[in-house]
Amino acid sequence: MLDIYHFSYGLLTPLLAYTMSVTGCLLGLQCAARARSGKDRIGWLLGAAVAIGGTGIWVMHFIAMLGFSIRGTEIRYDIPLTLLSAITAIAVVGIGLFIVVKPEPSLRGLLAGGAITGLGVGAMHYMGMYAMKSNAMISYDARRVGLSMAIAVVAATVALWFTLRVKGFFATIGAGLIMGVAVCGMHYTGMSAMHAHTGDMHTPEGTGAMELIAPIIVVISVVTMLLLISVSLTEIDRSVELPPLRITPRAKPDPLPPLPPVEPQILPTAYWPTRTEVPRH
């Protein structure tokens, strides 16, 4: 079995990855708070999906991967799969947000959104790992893989709950810090499931980490900055109360039965006697 290093650059990569995760989650929470007000809901939810899924999860994942190495092997990345993993992260977070962040949210929707988002984030993680090409043979511990998926589902559910209930500066900061811990915890739990064995000593196909990941991170970081500017230029209506979280969506009232048709009434016409019909005395 080959030695695997997750912190090849010391604490630099995990601290930077955690910082980016917290930044993306904080920005996503701010976008979600603006979506709750009902003004431009779709636009703000899309922004939250890019911030949380793109910066908070995907960028965090690949910054952490910059510190990953296997002794005596070369690591490269498959470009299409790596891009697909980024799209997957943004898409599954967006699906969860659109399910949960509604004028009348429900517990059933929260659980469904958390399951979909969590499983999607887990799939993104292992898709990114599959995109990593190496001349070593890679295997995974099934129990730790299952644990990482469970952490992803719980973390996604809590994150979606935060998008519904967090209100105020300090509460948002605290929620962002917790979300960052959850995202990093899921990543490193999944990475601990990996084992490397000696394989063919051919040069793997693909692109180097910095050649591929750096431009993508720059693009997502620019989008994150644009979202940050948009958030800073808008205000949240503090008077808007947080909607209650119902177990199931409130049933819509039955429509009133149609009124029976009203037949037109013919009113008698007024009769005025002529001069010849009026008696004279």
Side-chain angles (χ1 to χ4, degrees), residues 7-279:
F7 310 106
S8 299
Y9 300 102
L11 293 178
L12 176 62
T13 50
L15 288 178
L16 183 58
Y18 176 72
T19 301
M20 291 302 296
S21 182
V22 172
T23 301
C25 292
L26 285 174
L27 184 56
L29 290 173
Q30 288 295 307
C31 292
R34 284 155 176 78
R36 290 199 304 258
S37 66
K39 298 178 181 179
D40 196 14
R41 173 177 173 270
I42 294 178
W44 283 118
L45 288 182
L46 290 176
V50 172
I52 297 176
T55 303
I57 297 175
W58 189 87
V59 171
M60 173 271 143
H61 172 89
F62 276 97
I63 287 179
M65 290 302 298
L66 293 177
F68 176 81
S69 63
I70 302 174
R71 175 179 288 181
T73 65
E74 183 179 359
I75 295 176
R76 302 180 75 83
Y77 290 89
D78 182 281
I79 295 178
L81 278 178
T82 303
L83 294 176
L84 181 60
S85 69
I87 295 172
T88 300
I90 296 172
V92 296
V93 171
I95 291 172
L97 288 170
F98 275 91
I99 292 175
V100 173
V101 182
K102 294 181 177 180
E104 294 184 1
S106 67
L107 180 59
R108 180 183 299 176
L110 175 62
L111 296 177
I116 293 172
T117 302
L119 293 175
V121 169
M124 179 279 304
H125 172 85
Y126 290 104
M127 186 185 303
M129 297 309 302
Y130 185 73
M132 184 189 70
K133 305 301 179 182
S134 171
N135 46 20
M137 295 179 61
I138 305 298
S139 62
Y140 292 91
D141 183 292
R143 291 174 296 180
R144 293 197 181 186
V145 170
L147 177 60
S148 68
M149 296 297 285
I151 293 174
V153 171
V154 173
T157 304
V158 173
L160 291 174
W161 184 83
F162 281 151
T163 64
L164 288 176
R165 312 309 301 170
V166 169
K167 187 176 182 181
F169 176 77
F170 292 105
T172 303
I173 294 293
L177 294 174
I178 294 173
M179 291 169 68
V181 170
V183 172
C184 293
M186 181 270 161
H187 171 82
Y188 285 108
T189 300
M191 293 301 297
S192 69
M194 175 184 289
H195 301 289
H197 307 271
T198 303
D200 297 332
M201 299 310 294
H202 66 279
T203 302
E205 298 180 354
T207 306
M210 291 305 298
E211 298 172 8
L212 170 64
I213 298 174
I216 298 177
I217 291 177
V218 169
V219 171
I220 294 182
S221 299
V222 170
V223 174
T224 301
M225 291 301 299
L226 293 176
L227 283 173
L228 183 61
I229 294 172
S230 299
V231 166
S232 65
L233 294 177
T234 58
E235 295 182 357
I236 302 176
D237 188 356
R238 304 292 180 182
S239 63
V240 176
E241 296 293 333
L242 296 176
L245 185 62
R246 305 178 186 274
I247 296 180
T248 58
R250 186 169 59 181
K252 296 182 179 180
D254 296 331
L256 297 176
L259 297 175
V262 179
E263 297 182 358
Q265 296 182 357
I266 302 177
L267 299 176
T269 57
Y271 172 74
W272 297 96
T274 62
R275 295 182 59 183
T276 58
E277 294 176 341
V278 177

